Each structure stands twice: as structure tokens, then as C-alpha cells.
Amino acid sequence: MPPSLPAAAPSNKPKLLDQVRDVIRRKHFSIRTEQSYVDWVRRFILFHNKRHPREMAEAEVTEFLTHLARDGRVAASTQNQALSALLFLYKQVLKQEIGWLEGVERAKRPARMPVVLTRDEVHKIFAHLHGTPRLMAGLLYGSGLRLMECVRLRVKDVDFGYARIVVRDGKGAKDRVTMLPVNLAKPLERHLQKVRAQYEEDLEAGFGSVFLPNAIARKCPRAEKEWAWQYVFPSSRLSFDPRSPAGAKQRHHIDETLLQDAVKKAVRASGVNKPATCHTLRHSFATHLLENGYDIRTVQELLGHKDVSTTMIYTHALNRPGIGVKSPLD
């Protein structure tokens, strides 16, 4: 058990970490962001021997970030995440003037080329995937979904009639539409029949509710037990919602680590000698579309990229990029 942290203010006010949680929930940040930010604030305070953040400034923040890079040897993205959490703490929770904190330099992320699989390598990996993990991996590669976009997919957002998937609240809190692969339609329908049977059993047992985003629960109190709002890939067991005041027992979505582990094992069993992960399937989706001659703006929309320059990185893997340069040996 970590040592207790000091209160943010007098005893009639909530403790600092509770204040951080309250502000995050008021701004409708995801549960993952909440857990991450609270953890970074806790680590920052403990690193400085439980001093209150009001007593600290640029020097202490810089010292903490330097410690992460030098001693913790964390990646630049991790260091920047810690800085974002501290920015949130000072600006949104403590309401301090943070001109000094804005000047703290963010770590530069190295420009790395994405790992991309060939079509043959994709087939080899899929040969070692079965059941629900195969279906989910099919959506990562066939629809270009991110891992958590697939995990959080709701029944109402799968449109079999138009063969499309609506991604809600994706990266950057944006919605987008992507295709539903024809080869996955029938397996996905069969999968949903099994999920519906489980859902109806939950209803008979007095459960059947699901987490609803933002104010949907208040505006539509019956929506939490409607079939349309259920997760396409539900957990195998019921759990308590940590954000629910009553601690409602619900069936949440499947744990993403189950798919990550299945893909890791499939890559190892396939003999593919690339550090492929779930996100590699999304990289391969984009690259193979470009190889097939689809316009880069179309691929950008399907991926949900804000800037086309992000999508441009996939052109590196094409056999004939932009100007069709060939090696002098060829």
C-alpha cells in the first residue's frame, strides 16, 4: 500500500487526488486518462517527499521529468504524458498561473517508421487466431480500428445493411465511419447472436445494464439495458462500475489484454519475424489500401487522422512510392 498523501486544503475539502478525479469526470475524460493522470500526480508528490504541489514550481517539475528520463529510462511519449498530467493538475485543478510550466520543454518523440505486414504475413498470423480474438483482429486489419475502438464497439454502431462501422468518440473525441469487411459480416452476426443470448440471461437475472457515456444515462435512463447499447465484445463476467455512485454491477467490455496476448502468441507461432502487435494490423490496413491505389485522403478519413501528414507515413512501405523511384540495381 502506498503511503497516504497530504490533503489539498482544509479538512472540509476533498483530498487532492479526489479533486483531480472530480475535475476529470466533470470534463468527461476517459477512465484510462483518469487513472493515468491520478497516478502521475501521486508519483510526482511522492518523489518530492509528499510536498504539496502548491509549494512546488518549475524546478521540481523539471527534476521529476529528468528523473523519469534518466533513471526510469521512460520513452518520450511517457515523459510527455507525465507532463500533461502535471499541466492538468496546475491549470485545471489548482487554478494556478502556469506560465512557468508552459515553458517546460516536452521530450521530442523520435520519428519511427511503422511496422507493416505483407498480405502473406497477415494470413499466416490469422491462421493461428481463433474465435473472438480472430474476429476482433479481423476488424483491426479489415476496418482499420484502433485496439480500444474495437474493444468499445457497441451493437448500434455496426450497420450490416450499409456494411459500415461507426466509430464513436475515437482519438481526439471524433466520430468517423469505416467499412465493415464483407468477409466478417456473417461471423460477426453469429457472434452477436451468442452475445444476445448472454444479454437476455443477464436481464432475467436482474442485470443487463451497461456503462453509458457522458449524460446519456441521465437523458435516457432506460438505455443502459437496451440491446443497442450493449458491447459487441462483452466481458465474460460482471463487474462493478468504479464511476457509478451506486457501484452498479454491469457487464463491461472485454479486457483488451486478451486480444493483445492472442495476437502476440499468433505472431510467435506464425514464424513472422517482425515485432507485430494489434496496432500493426491497423498500419497494414492503411498500407495495403494505398498499395491498391486508393486516394490518401480517403485512407486518412478511414483512419480518423486529423492531418494528412500523419497518413503520409504509410507511403514508405509502398513498392512504388510517390515518384516511383527504383533502385539502380533494379
Side-chain angles (χ1 to χ4, degrees), residues 75-201:
S77 58
T78 303
Q79 189 181 19
N80 285 334
Q81 185 187 68
L83 176 56
S84 294
L86 298 181
L87 280 168
F88 182 86
L89 169 68
Y90 281 98
K91 187 175 182 179
Q92 303 294 342
V93 181
L94 300 179
K95 302 294 183 182
Q96 286 192 6
E97 293 293 331
I98 57 168
W100 55 267
L101 191 53
E102 297 284 7
V104 176
E105 185 177 357
R106 288 184 177 271
K108 293 182 179 178
R109 299 180 64 178
R112 302 191 187 282
M113 293 298 177
V115 176
V116 175
L117 301 166
T118 65
R119 288 172 175 79
D120 183 56
E121 288 170 335
V122 170
H123 292 315
K124 286 181 179 179
I125 292 172
F126 271 71
H128 295 276
L129 288 169
H130 308 282
T132 300
R134 181 185 176 91
L135 189 56
M136 296 178 74
L139 289 175
L140 301 187
Y141 174 64
S143 303
L145 300 186
R146 296 180 177 91
L147 173 62
M148 293 311 298
E149 290 172 347
C150 178
V151 167
R152 293 171 177 158
L153 195 61
R154 309 263 184 170
V155 172
K156 68 182 181 62
D157 296 323
V158 180
D159 189 336
F160 290 101
Y162 282 102
R164 66 183 185 181
I165 292 174
V166 181
V167 179
R168 307 285 185 185
D169 198 23
K171 191 172 182 180
K174 295 182 296 184
D175 293 354
R176 73 177 191 279
V177 176
T178 186
M179 75 279 282
L180 170 62
V182 175
N183 289 337
L184 285 186
K186 290 298 182 183
L188 191 55
E189 284 182 327
R190 290 194 295 268
H191 169 79
L192 286 176
Q193 288 173 1
K194 297 177 184 177
V195 172
R196 179 143 199 171
Q198 181 186 61
Y199 156 73
E200 290 173 351
E201 288 179 6

Side-chain angles (χ1 to χ4, degrees), residues 5-6 8 13-26 34 38 41-42 93:
L5 298 175
K13 289 189 177 182
K15 293 184 178 181
L16 179 61
L17 296 185
D18 290 333
Q19 292 181 50
V20 174
R21 291 188 185 95
D22 289 344
V23 176
I24 287 176
R25 294 178 187 184
R26 193 162 63 241
E34 176 184 322
V38 168
V41 171
R42 178 188 288 111
V93 181

